[in-house]
């Protein structure tokens, strides 16, 4: 590198060390939270379902069963469930957790395995763009990565047994390669096809890239062929794997387990004030990239990812972690952001532009800090309360071998029963539509093996008047309510749950 070019690169590092340090404080807080959460947090409901699925594969049991028949390996009543997403993630977690453990992996091993993979994925998302960035943009990329990692709404779900971070890591690695090579290679194409088979919501970036790749341009037909063929072969192999693993049922399960309603009020609630860290910054980066003439492979993919994440916020069951992919792509685009160009000469940022960039960066640090730092402490207090609640219920709900506690909280069922009976949240929607075996579910609750029912609400009281409560109605509030009333007696209020005892015991 010549002295002149080295001087240019030094001058283009317009973000002072002080801003890097402030961003590092936010990012470090998130890192501490994530590491602590790997072993310290109770399961969330989605995590509990995925651990249950992985455990079935680790024990050598079939993953896909007909909910009308159920799975009875652990006793009666049988577990009636639909597999979330595809079989790829449970297969990975279940088989890795099973290694070296005869007879199958325990919940603890599967939980640690899945959370470790998820945490590695989260780190890759924010480290890979920094390592791949050219020297000219490395400091700006580092700040962007620290801020992205520090967003509470993204970090809170990073260390869970869910495939979001692993899928996003694949997307991120693919686009770093595209940014460095300025073309779509076979490996990048394969990764972008694999990612949604881990988490189907990771389709925005791939869809945007497909449009950019197929967009009519002069020449380039040969360079398009290889990634298209690679993507097609990769997709075909994964479809075959899913078909074999599920006896052809994976798309039915995927559709029914994730097909919840959309509404404008939920979109408004999910975006709301979060737009200052989830939405607005990512779109601004995309438009700056467009103005700078950045690769359409990066800019179009980022815009498509933002559009998909925003649309998904209207669906009941989606979450703020859907913004991890657009955030990762924003960091990648910053890494490969071209300088302003006039003719053949690079124009360095003016003093006003430098001051504006520094001011915007400081504002971003403040916004991320204010919206995120209090959340980490609040979340960890909730962990302690939830763990104490589960322990109190375990002590109160005495059970003989083969007896269980049923609950709409599947994480509680996994802790107390080592299995799930029926995932209430998505099954309630389906039961009302007639596509889930409601009568079998009602019959299961009459089974005396269900010694206790633990509800996080009183079914005889009206639900709170909120949008989520009006739409996400537990089956225990309506279609199962009479069965509970006829076969169970109110017993006690324990750990925030209303406990019912079976009348035959």
């Amino acid at each position: 590198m010549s002295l002149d070019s080295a001087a240019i690169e030094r001058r283009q590092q317009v973000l002072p060390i002080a801003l890097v340090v402030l961003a590092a404080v936010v990012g470090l807080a998130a890192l501490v939270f994530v590491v602590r959460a790997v072993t310290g947090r109770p399961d969330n409901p989605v995590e509990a379902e995925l651990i249950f699925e992985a455990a079935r594969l680790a024990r050598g049991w079939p993953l896909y069963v007909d909910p009308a028949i159920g799975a009875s390996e652990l006793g009666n009543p049988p577990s009636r469930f639909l597999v979330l997403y595809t079989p790829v993630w449970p297969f990975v977690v279940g088989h890795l957790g099973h290694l070296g453990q005869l007879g199958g992996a325990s919940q603890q091993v599967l939980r640690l395995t899945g959370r470790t993979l998820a945490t590695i994925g989260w780190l890759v998302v924010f480290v890979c763009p920094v390592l791949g960035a050219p020297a000219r943009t490395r400091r700006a990329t580092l700040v962007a990565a620290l801020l992205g990692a520090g967003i509470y709404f993204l970090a809170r779900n990073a260390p869970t047994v869910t495939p979001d971070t692993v899928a996003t890591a694949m997307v991120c690695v693919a686009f770093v390669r595209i940014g460095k090579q300025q073309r779509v290679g076979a490996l990048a194409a394969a990764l972008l096809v694999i990612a949604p088979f881990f988490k189907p919501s990771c389709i925005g970036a791939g869809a945007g890239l497909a449009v950019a790749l197929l967009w009519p341009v002069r020449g380039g037909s040969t360079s398009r062929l290889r990634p298209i063929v690679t993507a097609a072969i990769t997709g075909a192999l994964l479809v075959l794997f899913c078909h074999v693993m599920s006896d052809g049922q994976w798309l039915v399960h995927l559709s029914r387990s994730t097909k919840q309603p959309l509404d404008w009020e939920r979109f408004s609630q999910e975006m709301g004030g979060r737009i200052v860290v989830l939405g607005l910054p990512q779109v601004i980066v995309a438009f700056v990239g467009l103005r700078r003439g950045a690769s359409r492979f990066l800019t179009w993919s980022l815009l498509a990812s933002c559009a998909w994440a925003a649309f998904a916020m209207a669906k009941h069951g989606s979450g703020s972690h859907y913004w991890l992919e657009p955030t990762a792509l924003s960091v990648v685009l910053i890494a490969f952001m071209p300088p302003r160009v006039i003719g053949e000469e690079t124009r360095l940022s003016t003093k006003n532009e430098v001051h504006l960039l520094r001011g915007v960066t400081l504002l971003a640090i403040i916004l991320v800090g204010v919206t995120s730092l209090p959340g980490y402490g609040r979340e960890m207090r909730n962990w302690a309360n939830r763990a104490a609640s589960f322990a109190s219920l375990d002590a109160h709900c005495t059970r003989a071998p083969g007896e269980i506690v049923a609950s709409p909280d599947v994480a509680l069922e996994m802790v107390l029963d080592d299995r799930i009976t029926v995932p209430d949240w998505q099954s309630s929607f389906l039961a009302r539509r007639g596509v889930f075996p409601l009568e079998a579910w009602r019959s299961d609750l009459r089974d005396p093996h269900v010694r206790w029912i633990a509800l996080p609400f009183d079914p005889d009281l009206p639900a709170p008047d909120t949008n989520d409560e009006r739409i996400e109605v537990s089956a225990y509030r309506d279609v199962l309510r009479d069965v509970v009333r006829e076969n169970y007696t109110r017993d006690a209020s324990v750990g925030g749950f209303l406990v019912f005892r079976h009348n035959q015991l």
Side-chain angles (χ1 to χ4, degrees):
M1 180 182 295
S2 69
L3 290 177
D4 288 342
S5 60
I8 288 173
E9 289 193 351
R10 284 196 300 272
R11 291 177 62 187
Q12 287 182 323
Q13 298 283 12
V14 295
L15 295 180
I17 293 297
L19 290 179
V20 178
V21 172
L22 288 175
V25 171
V26 177
L28 182 61
L31 179 61
V32 171
F33 169 84
V34 168
V35 171
R36 175 71 181 87
V38 170
T39 57
R41 73 182 297 166
D43 298 339
N44 64 42
V46 175
E47 187 176 22
E49 288 191 53
L50 291 170
I51 291 173
F52 172 70
E53 293 175 8
R56 291 190 61 79
L57 291 176
R59 292 164 174 163
W61 299 338
L63 176 59
Y64 286 80
V65 298
D66 183 348
I69 299 172
S72 302
E73 292 90 350
L74 290 172
N76 288 315
S79 298
R80 305 181 191 277
F81 61 97
L82 293 164
V83 175
L84 287 172
Y85 317 137
T86 75
V88 174
W89 178 246
F91 180 87
V92 171
V93 175
H95 284 78
L96 285 179
H98 177 73
L99 290 177
Q101 294 205 27
L102 297 177
S106 65
Q107 270 195 59
Q108 291 75 14
V109 170
L110 293 170
R111 181 179 297 108
L112 182 60
T113 300
R115 288 182 176 181
T116 300
L117 291 174
T119 301
I120 292 171
W122 179 75
L123 291 171
V124 168
V125 165
F126 295 107
V127 171
C128 184
V130 178
L131 296 179
R136 175 178 56 82
T137 60
R138 186 160 294 146
R139 186 177 296 178
T141 306
L142 174 61
V143 171
L146 289 168
L147 291 179
I151 297 174
Y152 164 72
F153 303 111
L154 302 180
R156 65 179 176 179
N157 283 314
T160 60
V161 188
T162 54
D164 299 81
T165 59
V166 173
T168 306
M170 295 179 186
V171 172
C172 189
V173 170
F175 278 96
V176 168
R177 289 183 61 86
I178 291 170
K180 289 176 72 70
Q181 298 173 352
Q182 291 298 299
R183 62 179 179 84
V184 183
L187 178 58
L191 288 172
L192 290 172
V193 172
I194 295 170
F197 279 88
F198 274 79
K199 182 62 188 292
S201 61
C202 279
I203 62 173
L209 180 67
V211 173
L213 186 63
L214 297 174
W215 193 260
V217 293
R218 290 182 180 179
S221 59
T222 303
S223 63
R224 297 180 189 186
L225 183 60
R226 188 177 181 189
I228 291 172
V229 171
T230 301
I233 293 173
T234 303
L237 291 174
L238 286 166
V239 167
L240 178 61
F241 170 81
C242 293
H243 183 84
V244 171
M245 283 286 296
S246 67
D247 289 329
Q249 294 300 304
W250 67 287
L251 287 177
V252 173
H253 281 238
L254 175 62
S255 173
R256 291 184 178 177
S257 66
T258 59
K259 196 175 183 180
Q260 284 80 47
L262 300 97
D263 70 78
W264 172 255
E265 188 173 347
R266 190 176 194 280
F267 171 83
S268 301
Q269 291 173 347
E270 285 297 301
M271 295 302 292
R274 298 177 186 175
I275 198 170
V276 297
V277 291
L278 300 179
L280 187 59
Q282 291 84 353
V283 171
I284 289 174
V285 171
F287 277 103
V288 171
L290 289 172
R291 287 178 61 86
R292 290 283 186 93
S295 166
R296 71 179 188 279
F297 296 149
L298 300 182
T299 53
W300 292 15
S301 299
L302 173 55
L303 286 172
S305 184
C306 289
W308 174 252
F311 170 78
M313 293 301 98
K315 183 178 80 72
H316 287 262
S318 65
S320 57
H321 53 281
Y322 281 33
W323 281 97
L324 182 61
E325 182 188 86
T327 302
L329 292 182
S330 300
V331 179
V332 174
L333 181 52
I334 289 171
F336 298 101
M337 186 75 72
R340 291 183 181 274
V341 175
I342 301 177
E344 296 181 353
E345 302 207 359
T346 301
R347 180 172 70 83
L348 298 177
S349 299
T350 65
K351 288 184 178 180
N352 288 338
E353 289 175 323
V354 170
H355 292 321
L356 178 61
L357 177 59
R358 291 176 177 178
V360 169
T361 303
L362 179 60
L363 177 61
I365 293 171
I366 293 171
L367 287 173
V368 173
V370 168
T371 58
S372 299
L373 295 180
Y376 297 130
R378 184 172 60 249
E379 186 86 1
M380 287 188 280
R381 288 192 295 273
N382 289 340
W383 299 347
N385 294 337
R386 190 163 169 81
S389 174
F390 285 9
S392 298
L393 284 163
D394 192 20
H396 178 85
C397 299
T398 56
R399 306 175 297 284
E403 294 178 341
I404 63 169
V405 179
S407 176
D409 189 327
V410 292
L412 175 63
E413 288 191 332
M414 283 295 287
V415 170
L416 271 56
D417 306 331
D418 195 35
R419 69 181 177 104
I420 289 170
T421 54
V422 177
D424 171 72
W425 191 84
Q426 64 264 40
S427 302
S428 295
F429 286 104
L430 299 172
R432 296 187 191 98
R433 289 167 45 203
V435 292
F436 191 85
L438 176 59
E439 288 308 314
W441 192 1
R442 289 167 58 86
S443 178
D444 291 344
L445 293 180
R446 299 185 182 101
D447 190 326
H449 288 99
V450 184
R451 180 165 184 178
W452 308 91
I453 293 177
L455 303 180
F457 52 80
D458 187 336
D460 292 331
L461 296 178
D465 188 23
T466 65
N467 183 55
D468 282 355
E469 291 289 350
R470 287 192 297 269
I471 294 177
E472 300 175 11
V473 180
S474 168
Y476 285 91
R477 285 193 180 276
D478 51 17
V479 294
L480 300 177
R481 182 179 170 188
D482 61 322
V483 178
V484 175
R485 182 180 292 171
E486 292 166 6
N487 294 274
Y488 294 82
T489 301
R490 288 174 180 251
D491 182 77
S493 179
V494 181
F497 286 77
L498 184 60
V499 178
F500 295 80
R501 184 184 67 255
H502 203 291
N503 292 335
Q504 294 188 25
L505 299 170

